[in-house]
Amino acid sequence: MVNAKKSRTGLWDSHCHLDDEAFAADRAEVMAAIGESLEGVINPGCDAASSAVAVELAEKYPFVYAAVGYHPENLKGIAKNYLDELAKWAVHPKVVAIGEIGLDYYWEENEPKEVQKKVFLEQIDLAKQFKLPIIIHDRDAHGDMLEIFQREVSGVQAVFHCFAGSVEMAKELAKRGYYFGFGGTSTYKNAHKVREVMKSIPRELLLFETDSPYLTPVPYRGKRNNPCYVELSARNAAEVLGVEFEELAAQTTANCLRLFTKIKA
Ligand code: NI
């Protein structure tokens, strides 16, 4: 393995939103718990303001890394020069990815599909320019998403965060070497499909995440999520996959460091 574990669990939370106002009251306590429990966390931005806070947090805490980007829910009124803004952050030593970016066809009030695709592809080009991986949000857009990676996009590394596609889609993406993030939803009683997908993916493409403050794993579903709960999803996954927790922690940490090459572990 790449490095020996430095934390209690040996895990990374590859996707959390510590910039969220849900952490305004007790962020320092949450950070202290992360420092003790996890190897590190990656905080993607969702627009200019949250990307700026993600970078600030990464500057303040050694175990926090940032990603910067525009989430498909936040494209209304996006600045004409938004790519210049992202490019300035992309060279920051602790900005390890462009994200979270993607397609979201779930919310009617989101910008039209063509606008979402355009901004998504522009941000992918930016990531390629700076040799950064991308963190992908795909909600109810599996068909278009798969087509983009089958036909239009290559030469970029990616993780499909909170992957909710089919086993068939996962296989197509895995063939191209893309990674998959799993978190709280994989612990939900009815999420058989998510667990089937997790079992079908090569172990070296698996990452754990929380998407804190959202998608809290069992048994805390309904409460605020926090990065330390990544351990609950990872222990559940170890059971589902029939492997030792420690082995899975070491494997997924190696995966995280292989994908996010700017992390200095
Ligand atoms: Ni997210």
Side-chain angles (χ1 to χ4, degrees):
M1 286 298 149
V2 177
N3 66 328
K5 76 171 191 180
K6 292 175 286 201
S7 63
R8 184 177 57 75
T9 66
L11 291 167
W12 276 80
D13 181 354
S14 65
H15 190 119
C16 58
H17 300 281
L18 290 163
D19 61 273
D20 195 283
E21 62 187 20
F23 295 107
D26 63 345
R27 194 174 281 112
E29 286 90 334
V30 171
M31 288 294 190
I34 295 170
E36 185 262 322
S37 296
L38 305 181
E39 298 293 293
V41 301
I42 297 170
N43 189 138
C46 295
D47 57 16
S50 62
S51 295
V53 179
V55 173
E56 270 171 40
L57 292 173
E59 286 173 345
K60 187 166 175 190
Y61 297 95
F63 50 83
V64 177
Y65 291 80
V68 296
Y70 279 81
H71 190 287
E73 281 174 44
N74 300 326
L75 305 184
K76 279 214 171 58
I78 188 169
K80 281 232 157 39
N81 65 342
Y82 82 97
L83 287 169
D84 301 337
E85 193 178 36
L86 294 179
K88 279 182 203 148
W89 279 316
V91 294
H92 189 290
K94 292 200 77 184
V95 170
V96 299
I98 299 298
E100 84 179 79
I101 62 176
L103 304 174
D104 191 314
Y105 297 167
Y106 178 78
W107 300 104
E108 257 177 44
E109 60 268 37
N110 285 351
E111 291 293 281
K113 293 178 181 183
E114 289 316 310
V115 174
Q116 292 193 33
K117 280 191 211 167
K118 177 175 171 283
V119 176
F120 183 39
L121 292 172
E122 284 171 353
Q123 293 186 92
I124 292 174
D125 277 342
L126 182 86
K128 286 163 81 166
Q129 194 186 321
F130 288 94
K131 298 192 166 52
L132 290 173
I134 55 174
I135 298 170
I136 295 175
H137 171 98
D138 165 15
R139 188 164 189 195
D140 289 358
H142 303 322
D144 283 0
M145 188 59 79
L146 184 57
E147 195 177 294
I148 283 172
F149 284 91
Q150 282 175 323
R151 300 205 184 146
E152 290 180 61
V153 169
S154 63
V156 70
Q157 255 306 359
V159 53
F160 287 81
H161 127 73
C162 192
F163 185 72
S166 63
V167 168
E168 293 71 29
M169 179 177 178
K171 283 189 174 147
E172 281 300 310
L173 296 170
K175 260 200 278 186
R176 292 162 175 79
Y178 298 126
Y179 291 73
F180 302 84
F182 292 98
T185 53
S186 66
T187 69
Y188 299 164
K189 198 164 176 248
N190 293 329
H192 304 291
K193 189 177 103 178
V194 178
R195 288 185 288 274
E196 283 313 305
V197 170
M198 191 159 69
K199 283 195 247 179
S200 77
I201 288 168
R203 209 67 55 78
E204 63 272 16
L205 299 178
L206 188 67
L207 298 181
F208 290 124
E209 60 167 65
T210 60
D211 205 20
S212 303
Y214 314 106
L215 303 178
T216 312
V218 170
Y220 300 119
R221 191 174 182 183
K223 301 209 171 91
R224 183 189 70 176
N225 202 358
N226 85 79
C228 293
Y229 288 171
V230 75
E231 184 180 357
L232 297 167
S233 299
R235 288 197 182 276
N236 182 261
E239 248 174 66
V240 170
L241 299 172
V243 289
E244 291 297 323
F245 168 74
E246 286 73 17
E247 186 190 329
L248 197 55
Q251 172 76 68
T252 53
T253 286
N255 297 347
C256 190
L257 298 176
R258 192 185 323 110
L259 173 61
F260 300 105
T261 52
K262 269 173 81 178
I263 293 176
K264 303 271 184 290

